[in-house]
Amino acid sequence: MELRDIAPFPTSCFPSSLFPTMRADVEMNEESSKLFEREQAIYNNLDERFEIHKEKYKGQQYSHIYFSRLHHMRNLLYSLVPNWKPNLPVKTILGLEEGKECIIVGTIYKHMKLKPSILDEYSKERSKVPLVKPHNFVHPDDHLILEDESGRVTLTGSLLDPSAFVTGIVVALHGKETSEGDFFVEDMLEAGIPPQTELPLSSIQCIKNVTYVSPLQLGILGCLIILAGEDKYVVFVSGLSIGSSIFNPLQFQLLVDHITGHLGDRNEQSIASQIVHVVVAGNSVQIPQVLLSGHTIAPRDQSTLTEPIKELDILLNQLVAAMPVDIMPGPNDPANFSLPQQNIDDLFKYSEAKNRLEFLEKTLKWRHLVPTAPNTVGCYPFTDRDPFLIESCPHVYFIGNQDKYETTLVQGPEKQLVRLICIPKFCETGNAVVLNLRNLECHTLSFPTSLDL
């Protein structure tokens, strides 16, 4: 029997004094039973530039990617020099003359006393010098060198603090050659934050997510388009670490239930219906390293290797049934490093800053997502380009697998506005991050599961 076959009760069966109350109850029940429809947003994947098409690895060296970076950035800096130092000549390093002020453009190389070397595995056995703490290799004796195709020169002067720089940055320097053959730096020009597409664009808002695959991990370059004035949200979660001893399946299930609208009252479900995208930003599983050493895995260890991936698959299936999901590989995930991972964490090892947000801002000003690749971060040896150059300023720039949630808005000299976000490890904090695409506001979703009695 279908619902249409049931005849409605005639209103005359009820006292007139009761009918308004019953009518209100019916309307309330109808409202409470109303289903929310999931909001939608157009999504364009723009990460083609990171793809390896016709190139094949034939043992090529990394000099090509450095040359491409220098060529691109030098042309950019040359275009900025006339407004910076219009009366000074631009020279190559080989063309320097002692005592004559000029401008040189090149790639910084940072000579580090404590930088790990392949020879360390021998020196650890034969040297009595205590080992360096692994979290940071900055030393007071570090110094900077500038390189171009013609040569290299040591940089001196108090303007440049070596601890603030890393190998791989391309800059323009104003100074002069000293009698010792060094280059005394009097001023410096960085490329600065690149131009940005304005918001709103006509009747739409366009959010470009330059995503670091877990400590950036570089992964997603995408564009979400929404109608102006609408509240639509993207949820970022990182560091699930499924398979680790601290992974809490209930915690992540609560997050999934909230996002899919199966948790909370009608107000919370209404907000959840406005979530249009989920980004899983690296380190989704944790597999014991001993099982990834390349040796044959014993049958008893097979389940240890596959169970975390199976559990992740089950949880992701619940999410993708409700909305689009991007999943990014992290250093602990079973993926290669054709794209560099842990770029901001690597900057933390080889330079100093107040916090991770400052490192994010620095990479924007250097116009490079991962300047330390391929020096200290692995990546594919591209021969015809450097795909990690930042040519257009993102509106949202985030990094995964951080110790705590941090965010700020950065404004550039041409009114560029960028939301910087550090996404905390979910397995340790129980926090995900929600971003409103309409106004770039963001906050955390917290799912504590411990009971304090």
Side-chain angles (χ1 to χ4, degrees):
M1 181 176 64
E2 298 182 4
L3 290 178
R4 64 185 181 184
D5 296 326
I6 302 177
F9 289 108
T11 58
S12 59
C13 294
F14 302 95
S16 58
S17 59
L18 294 178
F19 179 67
T21 304
M22 293 194 63
R23 182 175 180 181
D25 291 341
V26 171
E27 290 177 350
M28 185 177 298
N29 290 334
E30 289 178 351
E31 180 65 24
S32 62
S33 62
K34 179 182 177 181
L35 297 178
F36 292 106
E37 184 175 348
R38 174 75 58 185
E39 296 286 351
Q40 302 293 321
I42 302 172
Y43 175 65
N44 296 328
N45 193 331
L46 305 177
D47 64 0
E48 298 89 356
R49 71 179 191 179
F50 299 120
E51 295 178 1
I52 302 170
H53 297 285
K54 297 181 180 179
E55 287 193 50
K56 292 184 179 179
Y57 180 69
K58 299 179 180 178
Q60 61 263 37
Q61 299 299 307
Y62 286 99
S63 58
H64 299 284
I65 193 171
Y66 278 122
F67 177 81
S68 297
R69 183 185 309 177
L70 177 59
H71 176 74
H72 176 91
M73 294 298 297
R74 180 168 51 198
N75 290 338
L76 172 62
L77 288 166
Y78 279 175
S79 68
L80 301 176
V81 165
N83 293 327
W84 178 51
K85 305 281 182 177
N87 300 320
L88 289 176
V90 179
K91 296 187 176 182
T92 64
I93 292 176
L94 187 60
L96 290 175
E97 298 180 56
E98 182 182 336
K100 293 187 177 181
E101 292 189 22
C102 64
I103 293 173
I104 56 175
V105 177
T107 305
I108 285 181
Y109 172 78
K110 185 174 179 178
H111 185 274
M112 303 188 69
K113 181 178 181 179
L114 302 181
K115 180 182 175 182
S117 167
I118 188 64
L119 300 177
D120 288 346
E121 58 184 270
Y122 301 100
S123 62
K124 290 174 185 176
E125 299 175 1
R126 303 174 184 178
S127 174
K128 296 182 180 180
V129 178
L131 296 180
V132 182
K133 294 183 179 179
H135 66 279
N136 188 274
F137 304 109
V138 174
H139 190 275
D141 293 340
D142 295 343
H143 63 272
L144 303 178
I145 297 171
L146 195 75
E147 296 182 342
D148 64 11
E149 298 96 327
S150 67
R152 54 167 29 193
V153 63
T154 300
L155 304 179
T156 60
S158 59
L159 179 72
L160 299 183
D161 179 7
S163 67
F165 296 89
V166 293
T167 296
I169 306 166
V170 180
V171 296
L173 299 176
H174 163 214
K176 56 188 175 182
E177 186 181 30
T178 66
S179 58
E180 289 80 17
D182 300 331
F183 189 81
F184 183 84
V185 180
E186 299 180 17
D187 202 357
M188 180 188 69
L189 174 66
E190 296 175 332
I193 298 177
Q196 183 183 57
T197 303
E198 294 183 4
L199 289 176
L201 178 63
S202 298
S203 61
I204 64 175
Q205 288 189 334
C206 177
I207 306 301
K208 293 186 177 179
N209 297 317
V210 178
T211 310
Y212 283 100
V213 185
S214 165
L216 222 138
Q217 305 138 339
L218 263 176
I220 302 169
L221 181 62
C223 179
L224 283 169
I225 301 176
I226 65 172
L227 295 177
E230 293 184 336
D231 283 325
K232 292 187 178 181
Y233 301 94
V234 175
V235 173
F236 301 94
V237 61
S238 182
L240 300 176
S241 296
I242 298 174
S244 69
S245 59
I246 60 175
F247 172 66
N248 188 335
L250 173 59
Q251 202 169 47
F252 187 54
Q253 187 63 57
L254 288 174
L255 173 64
V256 171
D257 289 344
H258 174 79
I259 293 175
T260 55
H262 295 94
L263 193 68
D265 57 20
R266 286 189 56 75
N267 181 56
E268 291 175 332
Q269 291 174 350
S270 175
I271 296 174
S273 70
Q274 296 173 304
I275 298 173
V276 297
H277 211 89
V278 174
V279 176
V280 182
N283 282 1
S284 299
V285 298
Q286 183 167 320
I287 298 172
Q289 290 297 315
V290 66
L291 300 181
L292 303 176
S293 60
H295 296 89
T296 303
I297 301 176
R300 65 177 180 275
D301 294 327
Q302 289 288 344
S303 60
T304 306
L305 181 65
T306 59
E307 283 305 317
I309 300 176
K310 289 181 179 178
E311 188 166 355
L312 174 64
D313 187 59
I314 293 172
L315 293 169
L316 289 179
N317 272 330
Q318 300 177 51
L319 286 176
V320 298
M323 71 201 67
V325 176
D326 278 319
I327 180 169
M328 304 159 57
N332 293 342
D333 293 321
N336 61 34
F337 54 83
S338 293
L339 291 172
Q341 299 179 1
Q342 297 204 47
N343 61 329
I344 302 299
D345 282 2
D346 195 64
L347 291 179
F348 180 74
K349 293 179 182 178
Y350 296 97
S351 62
E352 294 179 342
K354 293 181 296 185
N355 51 43
R356 301 303 173 94
L357 292 176
E358 184 178 348
F359 280 128
L360 287 173
E361 185 175 354
K362 282 185 175 183
T363 57
L364 285 177
K365 292 179 178 179
W366 295 334
R367 295 202 189 186
H368 203 279
L369 292 171
V370 50
T372 54
N375 182 45
T376 52
V377 176
C379 73
Y380 184 81
F382 292 91
T383 57
D384 60 343
R385 67 194 191 280
D386 183 352
F388 312 116
L389 293 165
I390 305 176
E391 300 181 14
S392 177
C393 181
H395 295 94
V396 181
Y397 187 18
F398 65 91
I399 174 177
N401 291 301
Q402 298 304 293
D403 293 332
K404 61 181 180 179
Y405 165 71
E406 293 180 294
T407 186
T408 189
L409 274 173
V410 171
Q411 186 168 355
E414 300 176 0
K415 297 184 178 180
Q416 305 99 318
L417 197 63
V418 190
R419 168 63 69 179
L420 306 181
I421 310 174
C422 289
I423 307 167
K425 301 173 186 176
F426 187 81
C427 65
E428 296 180 4
T429 64
N431 290 336
V433 178
V434 181
L435 171 75
N436 190 335
L437 295 178
R438 179 177 63 83
N439 54 18
L440 302 187
E441 292 181 354
C442 66
H443 62 274
T444 58
L445 280 177
S446 186
F447 296 90
T449 56
S450 61
L451 297 176
D452 296 328
L453 300 178

